[in-house]
Amino acid sequence: MTIPASLLDANLNSLPLIHKGKVRDIYDIDDKHMLIVTTDRLSAFDVILPDPIPGKGIVLNEVSNFWFEKLAHLIPNQLSKLTLNQVLDDEKDCQRLEKRGIIVKKLKPLPIEAIVRGYLIGSGWKDYQKSGQVCGIQLPENLQQASQLSEPLYTPSTKAAVGDHDENISYAETIQLLGEDLAKQVRDISLTLYKTAAQYALERNIIIADTKFEFGLDNNGVLHLIDEVLTPDSSRFWDAKEYKVGTSPASFDKQIVRDYLETLDWDKTNPGPTLPAEIANKTAAKYREAQTLLTE
C-alpha cells in the first residue's frame, strides 16, 4: 500500500480558520457548514509532537465515516452531502485534502463527552483499585485488570479547555447541564452505539474496551453524532486473539509512541521530542491494521 504524503497542517487560505485542535483543523464555509480536516498530527501527554504519523489522519477520517454510515439508522450525524470540490476553488487543495476533509453541518455541541466503558482498564482500573468504584459507580469485588464488565458503564466527563484535563462527572451533573430528557437521551444512545459497534467489531477480532462519543443539536433540537466516532484515537481497541484478563492488552493506537517517550528524559511539556522514523511508521501501521480489520 502506498502511504500518502504526510500532512501536519491543512494550510488553507481560501476559508477562515475557526479552530485548530490537536489533530483537526476546522474552517468556516457558511452559516450552515464547516470543513473539518484530519491531519497526521499526534499528541501524547497533551503535547502535540513535531513529527506526523504518516497517513494517520486518513485512517481516522475513513474509520469515522465508516461508523457514521454504519450507525446512521440509530442517530443522525454531522455529515453533509457537500463535497470538497463544491467548497474549494483550488484543485490542488482538493487533491491535497482528499480523504482527509469532510464538510459537516454546523451543530451546537453539547458540553460533555459521553464515555462508555465495557472493560476495566486505564483510569477506570486505577479508580477501582482505590475505591471499588468507577466514576462513583460501585462494581463487584475481585475484578481484575481488563475484566469485561457485566454491563457497559456510561461515565460522562466535562469538555476541558485546550491544555486542561477533562473531569469525570456524575449522571446527575449531566442532568444539571443538559436537562433530564436530553441527559437521558445522550446516555441511552451512547450505550446503544457502543453495544452495536462492540458486537460488530468483536466479529472482526477487535475488542472495543472503551470509547468516547460527542453530540450536537441542530436548530430543531435534534441530537446528532459529531466529531470522530470509534477511531483508534477516541477508543481503546484490543486484538481479541491476544486479549487476556489480568494484563494491560496492547492497543491499536499511539501506545508505541507513549512507550517510546517514557524511555526519554523529557518532562512532558512543550516542545515535544522528535520521533524516530521507525516509531512513526510502526504507529502508522497499527492504525492501518485497525482500519483494515474493521472496514474490509
Side-chain angles (χ1 to χ4, degrees), residues 115 117 119-137 139 143-146 149 153 155 168 210 236:
I115 295 160
R117 304 169 190 266
Y119 292 74
L120 193 55
I121 198 70
S123 62
W125 169 241
K126 285 178 187 164
D127 228 5
Y128 177 77
Q129 286 176 295
K130 284 182 200 156
S131 63
Q133 301 179 337
V134 173
C135 301
I137 301 166
L139 294 181
L143 293 178
Q144 296 183 65
Q145 187 176 27
L149 302 169
L153 296 181
T155 59
N168 295 328
D210 51 39
R236 207 183 304 255

Side-chain angles (χ1 to χ4, degrees), residues 20-264:
K20 193 181 181 81
K22 287 178 181 171
V23 175
R24 287 165 182 78
D25 294 346
I26 303 176
Y27 291 87
D28 197 23
I29 295 172
D30 57 32
D31 60 347
K32 291 185 179 171
H33 301 96
M34 306 183 298
L35 167 64
I36 300 179
V37 179
T38 310
T39 72
D40 295 333
R41 294 195 294 269
L42 183 136
S43 71
F45 307 109
D46 286 330
V47 174
I48 297 171
L49 302 182
D51 303 289
I53 302 298
K56 168 180 174 272
I58 292 175
V59 169
L60 295 180
N61 196 40
E62 291 185 341
V63 168
S64 261
N65 289 346
F66 167 81
W67 287 114
F68 278 131
E69 189 177 329
K70 187 150 201 69
L71 301 169
H73 66 291
L74 297 173
I75 182 172
N77 62 59
Q78 67 182 357
L79 296 181
S80 79
K81 293 196 164 38
L82 292 175
T83 64
L84 283 180
N85 290 327
Q86 290 172 283
V87 299
L88 297 177
D89 296 330
D90 190 327
E91 185 55 36
K92 282 185 182 167
D93 281 340
C94 288
Q95 288 171 357
R96 197 167 53 86
L97 303 183
E98 188 191 11
K99 298 186 178 178
R100 298 176 179 281
I102 52 169
I103 291 104
V104 302
K105 305 165 200 162
K106 274 189 180 165
L107 300 159
K108 183 185 174 192
L110 299 186
I112 66 163
E113 293 189 341
I115 295 160
V116 182
R117 304 169 190 266
Y119 292 74
L120 193 55
I121 198 70
S123 62
W125 169 241
K126 285 178 187 164
D127 228 5
Y128 177 77
Q129 286 176 295
K130 284 182 200 156
S131 63
Q133 301 179 337
V134 173
C135 301
I137 301 166
Q138 192 67 44
L139 294 181
E141 292 180 10
N142 302 320
L143 293 178
Q144 296 183 65
Q145 187 176 27
S147 289
Q148 184 175 12
L149 302 169
S150 57
E151 273 297 314
L153 296 181
Y154 173 65
T155 59
S157 73
T158 57
K159 278 189 199 172
V162 176
D164 293 338
H165 291 284
D166 298 340
E167 284 189 24
N168 295 328
I169 55 175
S170 67
Y171 177 61
E173 287 172 290
T174 69
I175 292 176
Q176 288 174 354
L177 284 167
L178 305 177
E180 191 161 357
D181 289 350
L182 186 54
K184 181 179 185 301
Q185 194 184 352
V186 169
R187 179 194 64 192
D188 292 353
I189 191 62
S190 297
L191 289 165
T192 299
L193 290 168
Y194 172 79
K195 288 175 186 175
T196 305
Q199 184 181 343
Y200 169 87
L202 195 54
E203 291 163 7
R204 282 146 187 83
N205 286 314
I206 285 187
I207 290 170
I208 304 177
D210 51 39
T211 196
K212 159 186 84 82
F213 298 113
E214 296 198 39
F215 298 95
L217 298 173
D218 69 10
N219 290 336
N220 298 316
V222 175
L223 193 67
H224 285 62
L225 190 56
I226 65 168
D227 197 59
E228 63 180 314
V229 186
L230 294 154
T231 71
D233 270 13
S234 68
S235 317
R236 207 183 304 255
F237 291 153
W238 294 335
D239 185 336
K241 291 181 285 192
E242 307 276 321
Y243 167 68
K244 202 165 153 195
V245 176
T247 66
S248 178
S251 47
F252 290 92
D253 64 2
K254 54 190 171 187
Q255 193 59 49
I256 296 165
V257 172
R258 282 196 289 258
D259 290 347
Y260 166 75
L261 294 174
E262 290 284 19
T263 69
L264 304 180

